[in-house]
Amino acid sequence: MPETPAPFPHAAVLARLGAGDFAGLPAEFVDTPPKREALHALLKASEAVHRAAVSTTQVADALRRDQKFVRPGPPSPHLVRLRQQQAQARQATNQARQAFIVAADGWVRVFGLTVPARKSLEVFAEQWLVANAPRDGSP
């Protein structure tokens, strides 16, 4: 039986920010409209990356499972569709990552943060979210 994909860990925070409810967020993260917008954009982009990664994993698992029993010869229409879905999922993942990097760049500028040397902007933003953004189920 396939595993249920993990939900986006910051979905509640993203929903609250979208609704204009800033309860439970540190005041220094939401004290100005530009900060709220930058944080909201970063969380939305992070959610898109999460969704794309889940989709890519699901299609890859299905393809791996179904390719085990392939007979020699031309591929079946089912496998061709799965390979097309895999290509689309990879493309969506790449586009989501690019959007995340753009959102992270704006977020770093608005928050006045400095990305450490030898650390990519993407990794820095992901680590910051894990360390500072409240996860679902936590206060």
Side-chain angles (χ1 to χ4, degrees):
M1 187 163 166
E3 290 183 31
T4 304
F8 180 59
H10 307 291
V13 175
L14 180 58
R16 284 198 316 255
L17 271 174
D21 177 17
F22 311 123
L25 292 171
E28 65 269 13
F29 297 165
V30 293
D31 58 353
T32 65
K35 282 186 176 181
R36 289 190 292 264
E37 291 169 11
L39 183 58
H40 187 252
L42 183 68
L43 285 168
K44 280 180 68 173
S46 180
E47 181 188 33
V49 168
H50 177 79
R51 272 188 279 114
V54 166
S55 175
T56 300
T57 302
Q58 288 174 339
V59 172
D61 289 347
L63 188 59
R64 202 172 11 261
R65 179 191 68 226
D66 293 352
Q67 277 184 329
K68 285 182 183 177
F69 308 105
V70 173
R71 295 180 182 170
S76 69
H78 173 69
L79 285 179
V80 170
R81 273 194 308 278
L82 282 176
R83 289 178 184 153
Q84 289 171 342
Q85 288 175 357
Q86 185 180 38
Q88 291 170 348
R90 284 182 179 167
Q91 184 176 13
T93 298
N94 290 339
Q95 290 172 344
R97 285 196 185 282
Q98 289 173 347
F100 181 76
I101 291 169
V102 168
D105 182 55
W107 164 78
V108 164
R109 291 173 195 263
V110 168
F111 274 62
L113 301 173
T114 304
V115 179
R118 298 185 182 187
K119 186 176 279 193
S120 73
L121 176 61
E122 183 178 10
V123 170
F124 176 71
E126 288 171 353
Q127 290 176 346
W128 187 92
L129 281 174
V130 168
N132 295 298
R135 299 174 80 77
D136 291 353
S138 66

